[in-house]
Amino acid sequence: MLRDGTPVAVWPSEAALVADVAAGPLLRERLPRWDAWDLGDRGQLLHAVRVFLERCPNCDGELALAEETVESCCRTAEVVTLTCRACDTPVLEVAV
């Protein structure tokens, strides 16, 4: 997502974006001051809520949690992922 040409949000997949868009109205309904929250704080909560998904927003497949080590030229990081077993779409990625 861009604002004035600057990236302000990144999703690991379109399915993750769909999950966040679907959760937004529910959080707005359940959290009376949702609209007063900082955009970054709302994004962090939407990101965290994805861990509770039971089915893939892309294909309705089963989701699976996994932990893996990701290496780049400069560092190694442990990443927890929530990925669809049917279509291999990542729904959540969290560096730990």
Side-chain angles (χ1 to χ4, degrees):
M1 173 186 278
L2 300 175
R3 176 179 278 169
D4 298 326
T6 303
V8 293
V10 177
W11 289 266
S13 66
E14 188 173 316
L17 171 61
V18 167
D20 287 0
V21 169
L26 179 61
L27 291 172
R28 180 175 281 114
E29 177 184 311
R30 302 248 172 128
L31 299 170
R33 297 191 36 82
W34 175 254
D35 290 324
W37 285 29
D38 176 80
L39 185 60
D41 291 338
R42 284 188 275 172
Q44 287 180 350
L45 183 56
L46 286 164
H47 181 263
V49 166
R50 275 187 253 140
V51 78
F52 297 104
L53 289 174
E54 295 178 2
R55 308 299 295 182
C56 175
N58 189 50
C59 74
D60 200 38
E62 182 182 350
L63 297 172
L65 275 173
E67 186 172 340
E68 61 186 278
T69 301
V70 177
E71 294 185 32
S72 70
C73 65
C74 307
R75 66 185 184 111
T76 300
E78 295 298 316
V79 177
V80 173
T81 61
L82 183 63
T83 304
C84 179
R85 290 185 180 191
C87 69
D88 203 35
T89 298
V91 177
L92 178 68
E93 296 175 347
V94 179
V96 290

